[in-house]
Coordinates of all heavy atoms in Angstrom, one line a residue:
M1 N 96.4 122.7 36.8 CA 97.2 123.7 37.5 C 97.8 123.1 38.8 O 97.2 122.4 39.5 CB 96.2 124.8 37.9 CG 96.9 126.0 38.5 SD 95.9 127.4 38.9 CE 95.4 127.9 37.3
P2 N 99.1 123.2 38.9 CA 99.8 122.8 40.0 C 99.4 123.2 41.4 O 98.8 124.4 41.6 CB 101.4 123.1 40.0 CG 101.4 123.8 38.6 CD 99.9 124.1 38.2
K3 N 99.4 122.5 42.6 CA 99.1 122.8 43.9 C 100.2 123.7 44.5 O 101.3 123.5 44.2 CB 99.1 121.5 44.6 CG 98.4 121.8 46.1 CD 98.2 120.6 46.8 CE 97.6 120.9 48.2 NZ 97.2 119.7 48.9
L4 N 99.6 124.7 45.2 CA 100.5 125.7 45.9 C 101.2 124.9 47.2 O 100.4 124.5 47.9 CB 99.8 126.9 46.3 CG 100.6 127.9 47.0 CD1 101.7 128.5 46.2 CD2 99.8 129.2 47.4
T5 N 102.4 125.0 47.2 CA 103.1 124.3 48.4 C 103.9 125.3 49.2 O 104.2 126.3 48.6 CB 103.9 123.1 48.0 OG1 105.0 123.7 47.0 CG2 103.1 122.1 47.2
Y6 N 104.2 125.1 50.4 CA 105.0 126.0 51.1 C 106.4 126.2 50.4 O 106.8 127.4 50.4 CB 105.2 125.4 52.5 CG 106.0 126.4 53.5 CD1 105.2 127.3 54.2 CD2 107.4 126.3 53.7 CE1 105.7 128.3 55.0 CE2 107.9 127.1 54.6 CZ 107.2 128.2 55.2 OH 107.7 129.1 56.0
P7 N 107.1 125.3 49.9 CA 108.4 125.6 49.4 C 108.2 126.4 48.1 O 109.0 127.4 47.8 CB 108.9 124.1 48.9 CG 108.3 123.1 49.9 CD 107.0 123.7 50.1
K8 N 107.2 126.2 47.3 CA 107.0 127.1 46.1 C 106.6 128.6 46.6 O 107.3 129.6 46.0 CB 105.8 126.6 45.3 CG 106.1 125.3 44.5 CD 104.9 124.9 43.9 CE 105.0 123.6 43.2 NZ 103.8 123.1 42.5
A9 N 105.9 128.7 47.7 CA 105.6 130.0 48.2 C 106.9 130.8 48.7 O 107.1 131.9 48.4 CB 104.6 130.0 49.2
K10 N 107.7 129.9 49.4 CA 108.9 130.5 49.9 C 109.8 130.9 48.7 O 110.6 132.0 49.0 CB 109.6 129.5 50.9 CG 108.9 129.5 52.2 CD 108.9 130.6 53.0 CE 110.2 130.7 53.8 NZ 110.1 132.0 54.5
R11 N 110.0 130.2 47.7 CA 110.8 130.5 46.6 C 110.4 131.8 45.9 O 111.1 132.7 45.5 CB 110.9 129.3 45.7 CG 111.8 128.2 46.1 CD 112.1 127.3 44.8 NE 110.9 126.7 44.2 CZ 110.3 125.6 44.5 NH1 110.9 124.8 45.6 NH2 109.2 125.2 44.0
A12 N 109.0 131.9 45.8 CA 108.4 133.1 45.2 C 108.8 134.3 46.0 O 109.2 135.5 45.6 CB 106.9 133.0 45.1
L13 N 108.6 134.2 47.4 CA 109.0 135.3 48.3 C 110.5 135.7 48.2 O 110.8 136.9 48.1 CB 108.5 134.9 49.8 CG 108.9 135.9 50.9 CD1 108.1 137.2 50.5 CD2 108.5 135.4 52.1
T14 N 111.2 134.7 48.2 CA 112.8 134.9 48.0 C 113.0 135.8 46.7 O 113.8 136.8 46.8 CB 113.6 133.7 48.1 OG1 113.3 133.0 49.4 CG2 115.0 133.9 48.0
A15 N 112.4 135.3 45.7 CA 112.6 136.0 44.4 C 112.2 137.5 44.4 O 112.8 138.3 43.9 CB 111.9 135.3 43.2
L16 N 111.0 137.7 45.0 CA 110.4 139.1 45.1 C 111.4 139.9 46.0 O 111.6 141.0 45.7 CB 109.1 139.0 45.7 CG 107.9 138.5 44.8 CD1 106.6 138.3 45.7 CD2 107.7 139.4 43.6
L17 N 111.9 139.3 47.1 CA 112.8 140.0 48.0 C 114.1 140.3 47.2 O 114.8 141.4 47.5 CB 113.1 139.4 49.3 CG 111.7 139.3 50.1 CD1 112.0 138.4 51.3 CD2 111.3 140.6 50.4
V18 N 114.6 139.5 46.4 CA 115.9 139.7 45.6 C 115.6 140.9 44.7 O 116.5 141.8 44.5 CB 116.3 138.4 45.0 CG1 117.4 138.6 43.9 CG2 116.8 137.4 45.9
L19 N 114.6 140.8 44.0 CA 114.2 142.0 43.1 C 114.0 143.3 43.8 O 114.6 144.2 43.4 CB 113.0 141.6 42.4 CG 113.1 140.6 41.2 CD1 111.7 140.2 40.7 CD2 114.0 140.9 40.1
W20 N 113.4 143.3 44.9 CA 113.1 144.5 45.7 C 114.5 145.0 46.2 O 114.6 146.3 46.3 CB 112.3 144.2 47.0 CG 112.0 145.3 47.8 CD1 110.8 146.0 47.6 CD2 112.7 145.9 48.9 NE1 110.7 147.1 48.5 CE2 111.9 147.0 49.3 CE3 113.9 145.6 49.6 CZ2 112.3 147.9 50.3 CZ3 114.3 146.4 50.6 CH2 113.4 147.6 50.9
D21 N 115.6 144.2 46.3 CA 116.9 144.7 46.8 C 117.6 145.5 45.6 O 118.7 146.0 45.9 CB 117.6 143.6 47.4 CG 118.7 144.1 48.4 OD1 118.5 145.1 49.0 OD2 119.7 143.4 48.7
C22 N 117.2 145.2 44.4 CA 118.0 145.9 43.3 C 118.0 147.4 43.5 O 116.9 148.0 43.7 CB 117.3 145.5 42.0 SG 117.5 143.7 41.6
E23 N 119.1 148.0 43.2 CA 119.3 149.5 43.4 C 118.6 150.3 42.5 O 118.4 151.5 42.6 CB 120.7 149.9 43.7 CG 121.6 149.5 42.5 CD 123.1 149.8 42.9 OE1 123.5 149.3 43.9 OE2 123.7 150.4 42.1
D24 N 118.4 149.8 41.2 CA 118.0 150.7 40.1 C 116.5 150.7 39.9 O 115.9 151.1 38.8 CB 118.7 150.2 38.8 CG 118.5 148.9 38.4 OD1 118.1 148.0 39.3 OD2 118.6 148.5 37.2
L25 N 115.7 150.3 40.9 CA 114.3 150.3 40.9 C 113.7 151.7 41.2 O 114.3 152.5 42.1 CB 113.7 149.4 42.0 CG 114.0 147.8 41.7 CD1 113.4 147.1 42.7 CD2 113.2 147.4 40.2
T26 N 112.6 152.0 40.6 CA 112.0 153.2 40.9 C 111.2 153.0 42.2 O 111.0 151.9 42.8 CB 110.9 153.6 40.0 OG1 109.8 152.7 39.9 CG2 111.5 153.8 38.5
E27 N 110.8 154.1 42.9 CA 110.0 154.1 44.1 C 108.7 153.2 43.9 O 108.4 152.4 44.7 CB 109.6 155.4 44.7 CG 109.0 155.3 46.1 CD 108.9 156.6 46.7 OE1 109.7 157.6 46.5 OE2 107.9 156.8 47.4
Q28 N 107.9 153.5 42.8 CA 106.8 152.8 42.6 C 107.1 151.1 42.3 O 106.2 150.5 42.8 CB 106.2 153.3 41.2 CG 104.8 152.7 40.9 CD 103.8 152.8 42.0 OE1 103.5 154.0 42.4 NE2 103.2 151.9 42.5
E29 N 108.1 150.9 41.6 CA 108.4 149.4 41.4 C 108.7 148.8 42.7 O 108.2 147.6 43.0 CB 109.6 149.2 40.4 CG 109.3 149.7 39.1 CD 110.5 149.8 38.1 OE1 111.6 150.3 38.7 OE2 110.5 149.5 36.9
R30 N 109.5 149.6 43.6 CA 109.5 149.0 44.9 C 108.4 148.8 45.8 O 108.3 147.8 46.3 CB 110.7 149.9 45.8 CG 111.4 149.2 46.8 CD 112.6 150.0 47.4 NE 113.5 150.5 46.4 CZ 114.6 149.8 46.0 NH1 114.8 148.6 46.6 NH2 115.5 150.2 45.1
E31 N 107.4 149.7 45.5 CA 106.2 149.5 46.3 C 105.5 148.4 45.8 O 104.9 147.7 46.6 CB 105.5 151.0 46.2 CG 106.1 152.0 47.1 CD 105.2 153.3 46.8 OE1 104.2 153.4 46.3 OE2 105.7 154.2 47.4
D32 N 105.4 148.3 44.6 CA 104.7 147.2 43.9 C 105.2 145.8 44.4 O 104.5 144.8 44.7 CB 104.6 147.2 42.4 CG 103.9 148.4 41.8 OD1 103.1 148.9 42.5 OD2 104.2 148.8 40.7
L33 N 106.6 145.6 44.4 CA 107.2 144.5 44.9 C 106.9 144.2 46.3 O 106.7 143.0 46.7 CB 108.8 144.6 44.6 CG 109.2 144.3 43.2 CD1 110.7 144.6 42.9 CD2 108.8 142.9 42.7
E34 N 106.9 145.2 47.1 CA 106.5 145.1 48.6 C 105.1 144.6 48.8 O 104.9 143.8 49.5 CB 106.8 146.4 49.3 CG 106.6 146.3 50.7 CD 107.0 147.6 51.4 OE1 107.3 148.5 50.9 OE2 106.9 147.5 52.7
K35 N 104.3 145.1 47.9 CA 102.9 144.7 48.0 C 102.8 143.3 47.7 O 102.1 142.4 48.3 CB 101.9 145.5 47.2 CG 101.7 146.8 47.6 CD 100.9 147.7 46.6 CE 100.8 149.1 47.1 NZ 100.0 149.9 46.1
A36 N 103.4 142.8 46.5 CA 103.4 141.5 46.1 C 104.1 140.4 47.2 O 103.5 139.4 47.5 CB 104.2 141.3 44.8
A37 N 105.2 141.0 47.8 CA 105.7 140.1 48.9 C 105.0 140.0 50.1 O 104.8 139.0 50.6 CB 107.2 140.9 49.2
N38 N 104.2 140.9 50.4 CA 103.3 140.9 51.5 C 102.3 139.9 51.2 O 101.7 139.1 52.1 CB 102.7 142.2 51.9 CG 103.7 143.2 52.6 OD1 104.7 142.7 53.2 ND2 103.4 144.5 52.5
A39 N 101.6 139.8 50.0 CA 100.7 138.9 49.5 C 101.2 137.5 49.6 O 100.6 136.7 50.1 CB 100.3 139.2 48.1
V40 N 102.4 137.3 49.2 CA 103.1 136.0 49.3 C 103.3 135.5 50.7 O 103.2 134.4 51.0 CB 104.5 135.9 48.4 CG1 105.1 134.5 48.6 CG2 104.0 136.1 46.9
R41 N 103.7 136.5 51.6 CA 103.9 136.2 52.9 C 102.6 135.6 53.6 O 102.7 134.7 54.3 CB 104.3 137.4 53.7 CG 105.8 137.7 53.6 CD 106.2 138.8 54.6 NE 107.6 139.2 54.5 CZ 107.9 140.3 53.7 NH1 107.0 141.1 53.2 NH2 109.1 140.6 53.5
A42 N 101.6 136.3 53.2 CA 100.3 135.9 53.7 C 99.9 134.4 53.3 O 99.3 133.7 54.0 CB 99.2 136.9 53.2
L43 N 100.4 134.1 52.1 CA 100.2 132.7 51.6 C 101.0 131.8 52.3 O 100.5 130.7 52.8 CB 100.4 132.6 50.1 CG 99.4 133.2 49.1 CD1 100.1 133.1 47.6 CD2 98.1 132.5 49.2
C44 N 102.3 132.2 52.6 CA 103.0 131.4 53.4 C 102.5 131.0 54.7 O 102.6 129.9 55.4 CB 104.4 132.0 53.5 SG 105.4 131.9 52.0
D45 N 101.8 132.1 55.3 CA 101.3 132.1 56.7 C 100.2 131.0 56.7 O 99.8 130.3 57.8 CB 100.9 133.3 57.2 CG 101.8 134.3 57.5 OD1 103.1 133.7 57.7 OD2 101.7 135.4 57.7
R46 N 99.4 130.7 55.6 CA 98.3 130.0 55.7 C 98.6 128.4 55.0 O 97.7 127.5 55.2 CB 97.1 130.4 54.9 CG 97.2 130.5 53.5 CD 95.9 131.2 52.9 NE 95.9 131.1 51.4 CZ 95.4 130.1 50.7 NH1 94.9 129.1 51.2 NH2 95.5 130.2 49.4
I47 N 99.7 128.2 54.6 CA 100.2 126.9 54.0 C 101.0 126.3 55.2 O 102.1 126.9 55.7 CB 101.1 127.2 52.8 CG1 100.2 127.8 51.6 CG2 101.5 125.8 52.4 CD1 101.0 128.1 50.5
P48 N 100.8 125.0 55.5 CA 101.6 124.3 56.5 C 103.0 124.1 56.1 O 103.1 123.7 54.9 CB 100.9 123.1 56.7 CG 99.6 123.1 55.9 CD 99.6 124.3 55.0
D49 N 103.8 124.5 57.0 CA 105.4 124.2 56.6 C 105.6 122.8 56.8 O 105.4 122.3 58.0 CB 106.2 125.1 57.5 CG 107.7 125.0 57.3 OD1 108.0 124.2 56.4 OD2 108.4 125.9 57.9
P50 N 106.1 122.0 55.8 CA 106.3 120.6 56.0 C 107.5 120.3 56.9 O 107.5 119.1 57.3 CB 106.5 120.1 54.6 CG 107.1 121.4 53.9 CD 106.5 122.5 54.6
T51 N 108.3 121.2 57.2 CA 109.6 120.8 58.1 C 109.1 121.0 59.6 O 108.2 122.0 59.9 CB 110.7 121.9 57.9 OG1 110.2 123.2 58.1 CG2 111.1 121.6 56.5
P52 N 109.6 120.1 60.4 CA 109.1 120.1 61.9 C 109.7 121.4 62.6 O 110.4 121.9 62.2 CB 109.7 118.8 62.4 CG 110.7 118.3 61.4 CD 110.4 119.0 60.0

């Protein structure tokens, strides 16, 4: 299994936020995406950012 890195987590967060911004989502789908984005944000916070 590949190692989780900051760039991978940031790409995942970006993808979730792009989906969240789609206008044809239901309220439940938007809430689910928001929960997932919050989980990925938490991962980003615990992984060291390689850029200075």
Side-chain angles (χ1 to χ4, degrees):
M1 185 176 293
K3 185 175 180 174
L4 179 62
T5 62
Y6 189 82
K8 289 178 186 175
K10 286 298 278 187
R11 283 194 302 271
L13 180 58
T14 299
L16 287 169
L17 294 176
V18 166
L19 290 173
W20 187 88
D21 207 26
C22 293
E23 62 185 47
D24 57 340
L25 294 176
T26 66
E27 185 175 327
Q28 182 61 51
E29 290 168 329
R30 198 172 304 279
E31 287 176 10
D32 292 344
L33 284 170
E34 186 174 359
K35 288 177 188 174
N38 288 337
V40 173
R41 276 190 193 101
L43 287 173
C44 288
D45 289 345
R46 71 178 185 92
I47 301 170
D49 184 352
T51 57

